[in-house]
Amino acid sequence: AAAGDGHHGPGYRAIYSNSADGGVTWSPELPVSDESLPVEFATLQPLADGRLLAAWLDRRSRTRMALYARVLDGRPGPGPDTLVDDSVCDCCQLSFVPAAEGGALLAYRGRTSDEVRDIQLARFDGRNWSRQGALHADGWKIAGCPVNGPQLAAARDSVGAAWFTAADNQARVLARRSDDGGRTFGPVTRVDL
């Protein structure tokens, strides 16, 4: 829904509704963030305890795009929104998978002060966020948004990650696999050949 001062034209905001009866009835619509209107690329992840986790791109500081998250409980009221990363790529989608301990693993395209835009990982343990760092140090320096983010998939402790990079002027799709819930990953494999 359009509103506020966002990245795309007049901006975006994200709303959600939940159902406790398999989709027969739905709660009233509520904003994903009560603290910021320009919410973009929102993504959701159900948590093992029944709560819903949201993460999104947010330009509330009006300088760089940042990554925020919040547990959605179906009640209106202030946040709390949690700042996960204060500098991320402007328009690349996010990807969540559930974590074995009941939390979630999030992948997103980061952005350094010198415009390196490699894929980053952050973990939510059910209460707090921690940043794990780069999925791989591609070193893709680009002074613009490539408009493509990572994709995660998980089955129990196995997590797969795939992403696009054009570091060193070589366009390619790379993948890595983890057997410990995304805490560590094996070798990088090129999958677009």
Side-chain angles (χ1 to χ4, degrees):
D5 270 344
H7 179 73
H8 294 98
Y12 289 90
R13 67 178 204 139
I15 56 173
Y16 77 100
S17 183
N18 59 5
S19 174
D21 57 13
V24 175
T25 60
W26 291 88
S27 69
E29 293 176 348
L30 293 170
V32 167
S33 172
D34 294 315
E35 300 174 14
S36 180
L37 279 179
V39 170
E40 303 178 35
F41 294 90
T43 189
L44 304 174
Q45 176 61 51
L47 298 172
D49 62 9
R51 296 178 300 162
L52 187 62
L53 182 62
W56 64 90
L57 303 184
D58 189 313
R59 195 184 294 275
R60 68 181 73 182
S61 71
R62 301 201 181 272
T63 53
R64 284 190 178 243
M65 191 67 80
L67 174 63
Y68 280 83
R70 174 182 174 201
V71 173
L72 304 175
D73 61 8
R75 296 177 295 177
D81 294 352
T82 300
L83 177 64
V84 178
D85 192 328
D86 64 359
S87 182
V88 298
C89 205
D90 294 41
C91 43
C92 290
Q93 84 274 2
L94 315 171
S95 185
F96 262 132
V97 291
E101 71 275 3
L105 181 67
L106 177 67
Y108 60 96
R109 189 174 292 284
R111 181 181 181 186
T112 67
S113 59
D114 59 346
E115 301 296 354
V116 173
R117 299 186 188 227
D118 290 345
I119 303 303
Q120 303 291 317
L121 295 171
R123 182 175 298 276
F124 181 69
D125 67 6
R127 296 186 59 149
N128 299 302
W129 282 94
S130 59
R131 288 177 44 200
Q132 287 186 215
L135 178 61
H136 181 255
D138 297 331
W140 188 14
K141 188 171 185 175
I142 177 173
C145 185
V147 194
N148 56 39
Q151 186 63 51
L152 296 176
R156 294 183 284 296
D157 279 341
S158 294
V159 176
W163 69 98
F164 174 83
T165 184
D168 303 320
N169 292 318
Q170 184 182 22
R172 58 203 182 276
V173 178
L174 303 176
R176 292 184 87 178
R177 179 184 167 146
S178 170
D179 291 319
D180 61 5
R183 286 180 177 75
T184 61
F185 283 82
V188 175
T189 302
R190 185 169 178 179
V191 295
D192 65 327
L193 297 174

